[in-house]
Amino acid sequence: MSEPPADETLPLHLINASIRPPSKWLALFESRLVLETGFSLAAAGALQRLAPRGDGHAVLVIPGIGQNDGSTRLLRWFLRRQGFMPHGWGQGTNTGSGRAAAGLGEKLVALAAQSGGSVSLLGWSWGGVLARELAKEMPERVRCVVTLGAPFTGNPTANNLTWLFQLLNGKPAAVRPRWFRLREPPPVPNTSIYSRTDGIVAWRCCLNEVSDRNENVEVRASHLGMAHNAAALYVIADRLAQDPAHWKPFQAPASFSWVFPHPDTGRS
């Protein structure tokens, strides 16, 4: 991916300053990631039977800010068991800067050539933003995009990790004109998985404008545990298993539709 231009900063009110970071209580509640991970491991057998199976196509998994491929190991293990071919992003720690994603384009080209087909992109948090941008640059090589708690619209400071960006990059996150472009959906089917109890990213920043190829699916999950959450894992498998030529919005099985709140695809 190319480095985004160093645009002039914009007044925050032009982005949507009304969207604020999640409350401190929700941030403290992120500790439930331990329970989410434990439950998914305990229910791995049942989840494998219930979730849709893959067709062996390649999936590029991009971690969130401050994370590396180790953070997506369990997610990739699940995808492999479901019949997909997951790959880590191989760029070390995601610092949130454009330079951190410099090799993503080459990675996508190599995976598409190796697999002989298009590649699905799966991004967690800021990794989801990078996945969407990569799909815009190389749509011919992308099958679909699935994001987890990705803040691609709204106020880029509406999260509880701005301090981490500054720590990793030596400067605070700036509100730049390119944020207006981030909200534009990629020209491939894309699904945003989000949680209203996300303690890191404001959930309203994770909403697509719903169309025939853009959707939002809500799960009950923490931000830090979203890639290990059983409901999110089911949605991921279901979306990746879709034939992009006959893509349809997510519909939860009637037997456990209660797991997925607000089936209105994310209206606030």
Side-chain angles (χ1 to χ4, degrees), residues 37-234:
T37 303
F39 178 81
S40 293
L41 288 172
L47 186 59
Q48 183 181 13
R49 291 191 298 272
L50 292 170
R53 301 285 301 176
D55 59 1
H57 80 270
V59 181
L60 179 55
V61 184
I62 309 173
I65 188 170
Q67 302 297 318
N68 55 34
D69 285 333
S71 67
T72 64
R73 185 175 293 117
L74 189 150
L75 173 56
R76 286 181 283 122
W77 171 79
F78 167 74
L79 292 177
R80 195 171 295 110
R81 283 168 59 98
Q82 289 305 114
F84 300 98
M85 189 184 299
H87 298 266
W89 85 320
Q91 309 296 310
T93 299
N94 187 347
T95 63
S97 68
R99 293 183 183 88
L104 268 180
E106 294 179 4
K107 181 80 171 182
L108 175 58
V109 170
L111 284 180
Q114 176 185 335
S115 63
S118 56
V119 178
S120 290
L121 303 180
L122 173 56
W124 188 2
S125 194
W126 186 254
V129 177
L130 297 180
R132 287 167 58 94
E133 293 305 293
L134 183 58
K136 294 176 193 178
E137 290 187 14
M138 302 182 181
E140 72 283 356
R141 292 185 171 90
V142 177
R143 173 171 168 145
C144 71
V145 176
V146 179
T147 61
L148 299 165
F152 52 80
T153 188
N155 178 359
T157 64
N159 64 79
N160 288 316
L161 282 183
T162 53
W163 62 270
L164 181 57
F165 180 92
Q166 184 167 359
L167 179 66
L168 292 170
N169 295 279
K171 58 182 179 180
V175 183
R176 302 186 184 280
R178 66 175 177 266
W179 276 93
F180 287 119
R181 300 194 294 271
L182 294 182
R183 70 185 65 192
E184 297 173 3
V188 297
N190 87 96
T191 300
S192 174
I193 301 173
Y194 74 99
S195 170
R196 296 190 189 214
T197 60
D198 190 317
I200 302 298
V201 170
W203 65 269
R204 289 181 177 84
C205 291
C206 305
L207 298 183
N208 278 303
E209 289 190 17
V210 178
S211 71
D212 59 348
R213 296 206 295 182
N214 305 310
E215 66 175 345
N216 307 296
V217 179
E218 183 181 358
V219 295
R220 294 182 173 93
S222 66
H223 184 86
L224 298 178
M226 197 173 293
H228 306 154
N229 179 278
L233 292 175
Y234 180 92

